[in-house]
Amino acid sequence: MRLSQIKVDSGLQMRAKMNQETIDDYADALREGDKFPPIILFHDGTQYHLADGWNRYFAHKKAGLEIIDADVREGTRRDAIYYALSANAKNGQRRSIEDKRKAVMTMLDDMEWSEQSDREIAKACAVSHVFVSKLRKAEGKQPETITVKRGDGEYKMASTAKEKKDEPKDIEKED
């Protein structure tokens, strides 16, 4: 895939900040002939949205390479965002607490996704449901209703979570 064909949209980047040192190391490795796993793109019929592989993309640019291996999947920008929420949870540069927070906040700031249960958001972002719950409470993002999945069905139910005034809001660690 040509780098120039790829839509680089910061709204799809789930890192709190890019790591220039990693990009530089990857670029050096590419110049030495190393190969990296393909980046993940979602194609909506018009644009190729970069969902995973930001460091690899920018390393290719820095190394002066115009072509990058890509795994292209059919889907919208929204599909790319959903995929990006859990990118690097198991491989690549480890996610920081800020990276995890950004992924969860992406869902909590979305009108539709914010109505998902803490467990569903945690699953999508590859974090613990306790982390989601603490962040939701700390940010005041508790919806009136939540969507709960049971078996093959989805159910709307009233949100019963009430914040206690003196409850600690330590979300720096993920349980």
Side-chain angles (χ1 to χ4, degrees):
M1 170 73 57
R2 290 196 161 295
L3 293 179
S4 60
Q5 293 178 276
I6 300 169
K7 172 87 171 160
V8 179
D9 174 352
S10 63
L12 299 175
Q13 171 56 282
M14 290 300 131
R15 295 263 184 216
K17 62 182 179 180
M18 295 295 295
N19 184 323
Q20 191 60 50
E21 185 177 332
T22 299
I23 293 168
D24 294 344
D25 289 347
Y26 286 6
D28 290 342
L30 287 165
R31 285 187 204 102
E32 292 173 12
D34 285 4
K35 298 284 184 199
F36 287 86
I39 61 173
I40 307 294
L41 303 173
F42 282 78
H43 187 245
D44 63 10
T46 305
Q47 296 179 324
Y48 293 92
H49 302 280
L50 179 58
D52 183 28
W54 288 75
N55 288 329
R56 287 169 277 159
Y57 172 88
F58 285 109
H60 275 73
K61 273 188 107 103
K62 181 168 181 141
L65 302 173
E66 306 228 355
I67 304 293
I68 190 168
D69 288 336
D71 176 353
V72 180
R73 301 169 184 198
E74 232 179 270
T76 64
R77 178 182 184 277
R78 191 164 175 83
D79 294 325
I81 293 170
Y82 195 81
Y83 183 90
L85 293 169
S86 64
N88 296 309
K90 294 185 180 176
N91 54 36
Q93 179 187 342
R94 302 277 302 181
R95 296 185 305 166
S96 68
I97 195 76
E98 292 83 15
D99 296 338
K100 294 174 185 180
R101 181 184 314 222
K102 184 173 181 182
V104 171
M105 287 306 299
T106 297
M107 290 194 80
L108 293 179
D109 288 339
D110 182 272
M111 202 149 93
E112 179 184 339
W113 287 337
S114 66
E115 291 186 352
Q116 295 297 313
S117 69
D118 291 349
R119 290 184 188 276
E120 287 299 317
I121 291 172
K123 184 178 170 185
C125 297
V127 298
S128 75
H129 71 278
V130 174
F131 180 75
V132 174
S133 178
K134 287 178 180 179
L135 188 54
R136 189 190 297 261
K137 287 175 187 170
E139 296 294 324
K141 299 280 186 174
Q142 191 65 41
E144 294 289 321
T145 62
I146 59 170
T147 303
V148 178
K149 294 181 182 180
R150 296 270 196 279
D152 292 338
E154 279 191 2
Y155 306 92
K156 293 265 188 201
M157 59 186 285
S159 174
T160 58
K162 302 240 189 241
E163 187 177 338
K164 296 176 186 166
K165 295 242 186 258
D166 44 13
E167 182 178 337
K169 294 183 181 180
D170 180 15
I171 55 174
E172 291 304 312
K173 289 195 308 187
E174 182 188 350
D175 296 330

